[in-house]
Amino acid sequence: MRVGASILLKNGYCYQSYGWNRFRPLGDLQTAIDILDEYEVDEILIVRPIKGVDSEDSLNIDLKLLSELKTITPLSFGGGIRSNSDINNLSGLPIERLCLSSAFININEGFVKNAINSFGRQAILACLPITLIDDVICVYHSEANELIKLSDEIQEFCMQYADEIIIIDMSNEGNNDYFQMDLLEHLKIPLNKIIITGGVGKNIIRVAKSTGIASSIIENRVLHSENSIDYFK
Amino acid sequence: MTTLNNPQFCSNCLYDNKHPFGLSFQEGVCSGCFTHSEKDTINWGERESLLVDLISQTRKNKKSHYDCVVPVQGDAEDYYVVSKVLALNLNPLIVCVNDYYMNNIGWHNLHNLITHFDLDSLVYNPEINTYKEMVRTTLRKLDHILWPSIALKSSFPVHIAKERNIPLVVWGQNQAIEQVGKFSHTDSVEMSKWSRKEHDLFGYDVDKVIGSGAQIDIRNLNYYRYPNIKNLGHSKVKGIYLSNYFRWDPLYQNKKSVVQGFVPQHNSASFDIYERAGSSVYYEFHDLLKLQRVGYRKVRDQLSREVRHGRLDRQSALELENHYNKSEVDISGFFNWLGVTKSGVEWFVSKRLPKVKHLIGSSENKICQLPADISGLLTNSDEPTREFVLFGKGVSL
């Protein structure tokens, strides 16, 4: 199982998120990526935390920063990629995989197919931030900035077009070892297609390995101590 | 979250989104103030128990006479850290890097720290020509004269821990938490190469700083670099911050150092007579460069801290900042130390300090009324009689 790290990027600056509602500053993107390279994480997920309307200026700042990034670790990128022109702007960036959320939740087949045409199917990730409300799995729809029921149709669409699906435990994001593995029992997605993040820690990684999950992405904590990835692995 | 170029001000403290460590905002309150509020809800007894457990774990890797390295400068905070380390029943090795900026008060405070607590110590005097060339380089490139000493102080103690198989490095406060709330105290963040570069060294490493312009023999730069982190991992060296385990209140805890023989130093740029007492540059040229570089002086950090501790309201803090911002600084001592000619200084001031040159003068004290909650934590302070004492030996009894 792969073990990676995620970084939130907005307006050219990196942040940490706690519980989906509290942001703390982190720092410079290249400085963080340099050390993650040195820690030899298996992959890095860079996400723009967009809630509701995005700004073109903000996206352009982040894309420019990405274009200047130097790294040897495979990068996935997503957040605020909502139009075909956004897809076109991503060409030439040092990213291996594209992470889409609203497009999958909206079941926007034309847009997703266009992304596949540009990047290849193996490079497409669906991102589903989920939480359990009254025993119903809900997904955060970032474009609408609201929680909606995660339908079977959305899950089937993700399985049809995405190479892997990132499942974020919204409630436990940023906390150590609190990812609710029970959430996965509510999904129709096979475990070997799932990347988990949101409260991932050493014990969660151990459990995830035993269940055949494709990858675990640690959020804030990778940078909280030296060589942390060795500890997590 | 910071919004592009729009300035955003905290409604509680004096910081804005231009803080060099970065700040995030929620409902008008900055991440630093939010994180500070944790101090009133955290069970500090439980945190201390966690620290005791962590120490017993690291002791299992102990292959040295010493339990830990404690990096010091002779600051009031160092007295507090050493007190805590000894109370935790640890046997520390005190490690100091001579930054060649200490005055007679600074040397007294360092030597008194070592003798008062009866500690084993190691003082590193970096090769001075290389050091001065590093200072010239970082002044030229970064408007910073402390960068070389920070680079050494944040790496040399770690080298010593690794070389001598000492499993723990104990630091005092984590500035990124105390100032901007970059992490929760309960994250128990540890020392790391990333944190050093991001926070202490402002995103630069030695190689980037020296570039092609500095006349430096790179063989003299070993201790300016952080140790190889894989080797550190093999040696099981870790660094912790006590401010994650004890409720950190610098002004309150620093006053206690006076009874242990620490001498506070009066300065015209701040009310805080404890922090960085004993430096010939900290509230002088360094403070001026900080204003030029980041847009505010050291006193804003200290006033914001006091607002958060409830000893000041925001309006009074703004008035005090306005008062201290007018204080003039003496830069002549620094340039004499660096060996710059009078015409060289004039060129530098006119070309490189246009925004702050009105503050260059003599650092005279002007009376300022402080709230009782703060003045009650201050005490008598001294003026230095000798600045830039390169080497200080012994302690007067």
Side-chain angles (χ1 to χ4, degrees):
Chain A
M1 187 188 72
R2 311 187 309 267
V3 178
S6 67
I7 289 178
L8 300 185
L9 175 70
K10 186 78 190 292
N11 301 334
Y13 191 83
C14 298
Y15 292 85
Q16 304 170 92
S17 177
Y18 290 73
W20 207 253
N21 66 6
R22 168 70 59 186
F23 287 106
R24 292 181 192 273
L26 184 70
D28 175 67
L29 179 62
Q30 184 67 63
T31 305
I33 295 289
D34 284 347
I35 207 73
L36 294 177
D37 278 346
E38 214 166 329
Y39 288 174
E40 297 176 358
V41 298
D42 293 326
E43 58 189 314
I44 300 171
L45 171 64
I46 300 174
V47 178
R48 298 179 65 247
I50 306 301
K51 295 181 178 177
V53 180
D54 193 10
S55 113
E56 195 179 330
D57 286 349
S58 171
L59 177 62
N60 288 338
I61 287 171
D62 294 341
L63 293 186
K64 183 171 184 303
L65 200 63
L66 275 176
S67 71
E68 295 162 353
L69 207 54
K70 294 178 180 65
T71 178
I72 54 171
T73 309
L75 285 185
S76 304
F77 172 70
I81 307 301
R82 291 169 182 170
S83 70
N84 288 329
S85 67
D86 290 343
I87 296 279
N88 294 337
N89 288 337
L90 297 174
S91 62
L93 295 182
I95 55 174
E96 300 209 355
R97 306 221 280 182
L98 179 61
C99 176
L100 301 172
S101 184
S102 294
F104 278 100
I105 294 167
N106 287 333
I107 312 186
N108 187 342
E109 191 168 11
F111 179 70
V112 172
K113 280 185 172 174
N114 185 38
I116 289 171
N117 284 338
S118 298
F119 281 81
R121 188 178 179 282
Q122 287 187 322
I124 301 301
L125 300 172
C127 179
L128 301 177
I130 61 173
T131 190
L132 202 58
I133 299 176
D134 296 331
D135 217 32
V136 174
I137 284 281
C138 296
V139 61
Y140 177 74
H141 188 341
S142 68
E143 193 172 5
N145 193 17
E146 64 180 8
L147 283 166
I148 62 169
K149 186 182 173 213
L150 178 61
S151 65
D152 291 353
E153 198 183 1
I154 292 173
Q155 294 187 61
E156 281 157 13
F157 183 63
C158 289
M159 285 187 283
Q160 187 179 354
Y161 288 107
D163 185 52
E164 289 179 329
I165 295 128
I166 301 170
I167 299 296
I168 304 175
D169 180 351
M170 292 172 61
S171 310
N172 291 301
E173 189 202 26
N175 294 317
N176 188 29
D177 256 347
Y178 280 89
F179 183 93
Q180 281 183 277
M181 295 300 285
D182 298 355
L183 286 173
L184 305 182
E185 293 169 8
H186 293 259
L187 304 178
K188 292 183 177 302
I189 304 164
L191 293 176
N192 64 0
K193 298 269 280 183
I194 286 178
I195 299 171
I196 58 168
T197 187
V200 168
K202 189 180 173 96
N203 290 325
I204 295 296
I205 289 172
R206 185 176 48 79
V207 173
K209 269 183 188 170
S210 67
T211 53
I213 282 171
S215 175
S216 295
I217 303 274
I218 308 158
E219 317 97 87
N220 312 335
R221 306 194 77 79
V222 181
L223 293 173
H224 288 186
S225 58
E226 199 77 281
N227 268 322
S228 58
I229 208 76
D230 287 350
Y231 165 80
F232 285 119
K233 278 183 173 177
Chain B
M1 195 171 289
T2 305
T3 51
L4 299 176
N5 295 319
N6 300 331
Q8 196 169 0
F9 299 89
C10 179
S11 59
N12 185 52
C13 71
L14 304 188
Y15 285 141
D16 60 39
N17 59 353
K18 302 293 184 207
H19 193 293
F21 286 174
L23 271 181
S24 60
F25 291 83
Q26 201 152 326
E27 294 167 3
V29 176
C30 77
S31 44
C33 288
F34 168 75
T35 301
H36 182 90
S37 67
E38 286 181 350
K39 291 188 183 196
D40 297 327
T41 55
I42 285 174
N43 182 332
W44 290 104
E46 280 180 11
R47 295 295 301 162
E48 187 174 347
S49 299
L50 280 174
L51 176 62
V52 170
D53 289 347
L54 189 152
I55 286 168
S56 65
Q57 286 295 318
T58 59
R59 269 190 164 142
K60 289 178 185 168
N61 303 319
K62 182 183 167 184
K63 297 174 192 162
S64 164
H65 171 63
Y66 301 106
D67 294 308
C68 62
V69 163
V70 179
V72 302
Q73 185 64 38
D75 254 356
E77 180 170 297
D78 298 333
Y79 281 66
Y80 184 72
V81 170
V82 168
S83 301
K84 286 290 184 194
V85 162
L86 294 175
L88 288 162
N89 209 22
L90 292 168
N91 181 24
L93 174 65
I94 299 304
V95 175
C96 174
V97 173
N98 183 1
D99 63 7
Y100 300 116
Y101 290 141
M102 278 198 277
N103 59 30
N104 62 301
I105 292 176
W107 281 109
H108 165 85
N109 286 336
L110 175 63
H111 291 140
N112 181 70
L113 173 80
I114 295 164
T115 52
H116 176 83
F117 292 104
D118 192 16
L119 303 165
D120 288 355
S121 63
L122 191 162
V123 178
Y124 173 56
N125 301 299
E127 200 283 309
I128 195 162
N129 293 318
T130 301
Y131 182 79
K132 285 193 174 182
E133 183 58 24
M134 286 293 288
V135 171
R136 275 187 208 98
T137 303
T138 55
L139 173 60
R140 193 172 69 242
K141 294 184 176 178
L142 308 177
D143 285 337
H144 211 306
I145 59 171
L146 294 185
W147 196 96
S149 67
I150 295 170
L152 284 167
K153 288 171 187 176
S154 57
S155 69
F156 181 72
V158 188
H159 279 281
I160 291 301
K162 180 178 163 294
E163 288 167 10
R164 301 193 177 197
N165 291 314
I166 303 171
L168 195 61
V169 182
V170 180
W171 304 88
Q173 66 171 295
N174 183 316
Q175 275 203 332
I177 295 177
E178 297 300 309
Q179 289 191 14
V180 302
K182 193 162 270 196
F183 315 98
S184 167
H185 295 88
T186 56
D187 285 332
S188 306
V189 170
E190 295 176 3
M191 165 190 85
S192 70
K193 183 179 177 180
W194 166 77
S195 180
R196 174 180 181 258
K197 186 176 178 185
E198 176 68 35
H199 305 120
D200 300 324
L201 304 184
F202 316 101
Y204 291 84
D205 52 30
V206 171
D207 296 319
K208 194 172 175 184
V209 160
I210 60 175
S212 57
Q215 302 298 306
I216 289 172
D217 184 341
I218 57 170
R219 287 174 298 185
N220 291 330
L221 294 177
N222 181 44
Y223 287 134
Y224 290 80
R225 302 179 204 277
Y226 202 71
N228 179 294
I229 56 175
K230 290 288 178 202
N231 292 343
L232 268 186
H234 294 316
S235 306
K236 299 191 186 306
V237 173
K238 67 164 64 188
I240 58 164
Y241 299 92
L242 287 188
S243 59
N244 285 331
Y245 301 96
F246 297 100
R247 192 183 196 282
W248 212 252
D249 185 349
L251 204 61
Y252 175 77
Q253 61 207 35
N254 287 349
K255 187 183 180 186
K256 296 176 183 174
S257 66
V258 176
V259 296
Q260 294 159 334
F262 175 84
V263 175
Q265 182 184 335
H266 206 75
N267 77 79
S268 61
S270 171
F271 62 92
D272 193 329
I273 54 176
Y274 307 112
E275 189 173 2
R276 298 292 189 272
S279 170
S280 300
V281 295
Y282 198 79
Y283 294 101
E284 303 289 346
F285 193 34
H286 170 69
D287 207 28
L288 195 70
L289 290 172
K290 176 167 176 148
L291 175 63
Q292 164 143 312
R293 215 173 47 244
V294 302
Y296 63 89
R297 297 174 74 166
K298 180 63 190 174
V299 74
R300 180 178 292 185
D301 295 328
Q302 294 159 337
L303 289 166
S304 293
R305 180 192 72 203
E306 294 310 305
V307 168
R308 291 171 182 171
H309 280 288
R311 291 189 280 263
L312 260 183
D313 61 70
R314 190 172 187 274
Q315 184 56 36
S316 303
L318 282 167
E319 288 165 12
L320 283 170
E321 184 183 34
N322 190 38
H323 167 85
Y324 287 113
N325 277 349
K326 292 175 190 156
S327 70
E328 295 185 348
V329 300
D330 183 353
I331 65 170
S332 59
F334 168 78
F335 282 107
N336 284 338
W337 172 88
L338 196 59
V340 179
T341 61
K342 191 178 170 206
S343 62
V345 176
E346 286 168 359
W347 181 92
F348 190 87
V349 169
S350 68
K351 301 293 183 192
R352 298 293 302 274
L353 302 174
K355 288 187 287 188
V356 295
K357 66 181 179 184
H358 62 286
L359 292 169
I360 297 170
S362 57
S363 46
E364 291 174 7
N365 294 318
K366 294 185 177 115
I367 302 298
C368 176
Q369 192 67 38
L370 292 165
D373 284 352
I374 290 181
S375 59
L377 293 175
L378 303 179
T379 182
N380 292 333
S381 55
D382 255 0
E383 300 275 0
T385 54
R386 287 176 296 145
E387 299 283 7
F388 296 97
V389 181
L390 296 188
F391 301 99
K393 299 279 185 187
V395 60
S396 302
L397 298 172

